[in-house]
Amino acid sequence: MSERKPDFFVLGAPKCATTSLYEWLKSHPQIFVAKKEMHFFNTDHTDREVTRLQDYRALFAGASERHIAVGEVAVMYLYSEAAVANILRDNAEAVFIVMLRNPIDMAYSWHSQVCFTGRERVKDFAKAWNLQAERKASRCAAGETGRADVNKLFYGEVCCLGAQLQRLYQQVARERVHVIVYDDLNANPRAVYRAVLNFLGVPDDHKQTFEAHNRAKVHYAEWLYRLLPRMARLKTRLRIRRNFGIQTWIANNNRREKPRPPLSPQMKRALARHFAEDIRLLERLLGRDLTHWSA
């Protein structure tokens, strides 16, 4: 059988239920979805899990003739300025799924996520938000203009989904883009799932259970989480190839769900002001009233 390339891409955005959609699609017998978050095509970012073409192709080795749709989910592709152009060079017929959310809620949720993964050390969201200009100035002073890992801490940019969707529409015909709004998925996941299957040309598998994934969470022991990369480096230095499962066990068991406290009214107003223009852009692009997002 000839080598299979992905024909659909879930581009993002982060904290918009992309993990849930990934799990639902992965369970469909006629859909093959590669391991999530490899980010091969966002070459303007530095934290790509896969950088070599042969390694990327290997992610789809499990796709077979029974799979009608073959895809990839990488939530920073929408934020990336290079990813879509790179994807189209690899597959000019690719189609795209975009997941959107109220940027006010998204920014707060994204801060929790990057705190959990260790990228963000400032646990207070208001303080982290106010550090954006200083962080950007620091990068510019260092002469670094590319979208590196620290750019994920520019919450105001990561969550400007209107501008990102507009950039996608400038590169791809709208009929090749399927947009999911988080509000709709929460209200009726079955209907949203069926619409995705229709977009991909895949028969309905009559799935009825739609579990939410990747909820807000924290580590039981932060020090234990920070120990993991040290353990990995030690294994490398000692040339230990055997996988004892210790790191995986720690990663899976040193976590618990923890709902975030509500945003303060002052912080919510600040975010509403920042995202007002971008929300209006989304309204025009989607032909949909989103004024309740800022209420």
Side-chain angles (χ1 to χ4, degrees):
M1 181 179 175
S2 61
E3 182 181 70
R4 291 290 299 269
K5 291 183 180 181
D7 44 54
F8 79 89
F9 294 82
V10 180
L11 302 179
K15 306 313 296 179
C16 295
T18 48
T19 302
S20 295
L21 181 64
Y22 167 75
E23 294 292 342
W24 303 343
L25 294 178
K26 193 171 69 168
S27 69
H28 193 294
Q30 292 175 285
I31 297 176
F32 180 89
V33 189
K35 186 178 179 181
K36 188 170 177 279
E37 311 295 17
M38 293 296 100
H39 288 109
F40 173 72
F41 287 110
N42 53 346
T43 52
D44 52 343
H45 291 194
T46 60
D47 59 335
R48 300 156 63 213
E49 290 294 322
V50 173
T51 58
R52 299 193 309 166
L53 181 60
Q54 60 266 41
D55 295 334
Y56 180 71
R57 294 283 186 246
L59 296 174
F60 301 93
S64 67
E65 293 179 350
R66 70 182 174 91
H67 296 116
I68 296 174
V70 176
E72 183 192 1
V73 179
V75 299
M76 301 309 290
Y77 278 169
L78 189 64
Y79 179 44
S80 166
E81 294 180 1
V84 172
N86 288 334
I87 290 169
L88 292 173
R89 277 191 287 271
D90 190 64
N91 182 359
E93 304 301 319
V95 298
F96 302 92
I97 297 171
V98 175
M99 305 184 74
L100 307 175
R101 183 180 184 178
N102 181 343
I104 298 170
D105 298 333
M106 178 186 167
Y108 189 29
S109 182
W110 179 238
H111 172 260
S112 297
Q113 179 68 22
V114 290
C115 283
F116 179 78
T117 58
R119 289 190 178 97
E120 177 62 87
R121 299 299 180 89
V122 180
K123 304 297 185 183
D124 182 88
F125 175 55
K127 291 179 180 178
W129 177 267
N130 291 329
L131 278 172
Q132 291 178 98
E134 179 182 330
R135 285 168 166 170
K136 188 172 294 188
S138 176
R139 286 201 61 77
C140 291
E144 299 178 22
T145 56
R147 288 194 178 279
D149 191 38
V150 72
N151 289 49
K152 292 183 178 181
L153 306 184
F154 299 157
Y155 305 101
E157 289 186 2
V158 173
C159 303
C160 269
L161 302 181
Q164 295 170 32
L165 181 62
Q166 183 179 55
R167 182 173 62 221
L168 175 62
Y169 282 156
Q170 290 167 350
Q171 300 174 83
V172 181
R174 289 192 179 213
E175 58 266 24
R176 290 168 59 187
V177 179
H178 182 74
V179 175
I180 299 171
V181 178
Y182 185 84
D183 310 37
D184 300 335
L185 186 142
N186 265 349
N188 194 338
R190 168 70 181 153
V192 169
Y193 177 70
R194 284 192 62 185
V196 171
L197 298 184
N198 287 338
F199 176 71
L200 297 177
V202 176
D204 188 3
D205 61 348
H206 305 290
K207 182 179 179 63
Q208 298 296 327
T209 303
F210 296 91
E211 183 182 354
H213 295 265
N214 201 22
R215 296 180 185 272
K217 52 193 176 294
V218 295
H219 295 105
Y220 283 111
E222 189 72 24
W223 66 268
L224 194 55
Y225 172 75
R226 298 191 186 284
L227 185 63
L228 291 178
R230 297 180 184 179
M231 292 173 64
R233 288 193 295 269
L234 180 61
K235 279 185 64 178
T236 301
R237 284 199 301 269
L238 297 177
R239 298 181 180 180
I240 298 174
R241 296 183 179 181
R242 181 179 174 185
N243 183 5
F244 296 96
I246 298 173
Q247 292 167 272
T248 302
W249 187 91
I250 292 173
N252 291 337
N253 291 278
N254 185 35
R255 62 174 66 182
R256 62 185 174 89
E257 290 186 6
K258 182 181 180 181
R260 293 176 299 277
L263 274 172
S264 70
Q266 179 182 6
M267 194 64 209
K268 189 170 183 178
R269 286 193 297 270
L271 295 177
R273 287 193 298 271
H274 178 88
F275 291 114
E277 184 176 342
D278 195 70
I279 291 174
R280 286 193 293 269
L281 175 58
L282 265 182
E283 288 182 319
R284 294 194 296 272
L285 293 172
L286 300 177
R288 177 170 178 164
D289 181 8
L290 300 172
T291 53
H292 62 285
W293 279 4
S294 302

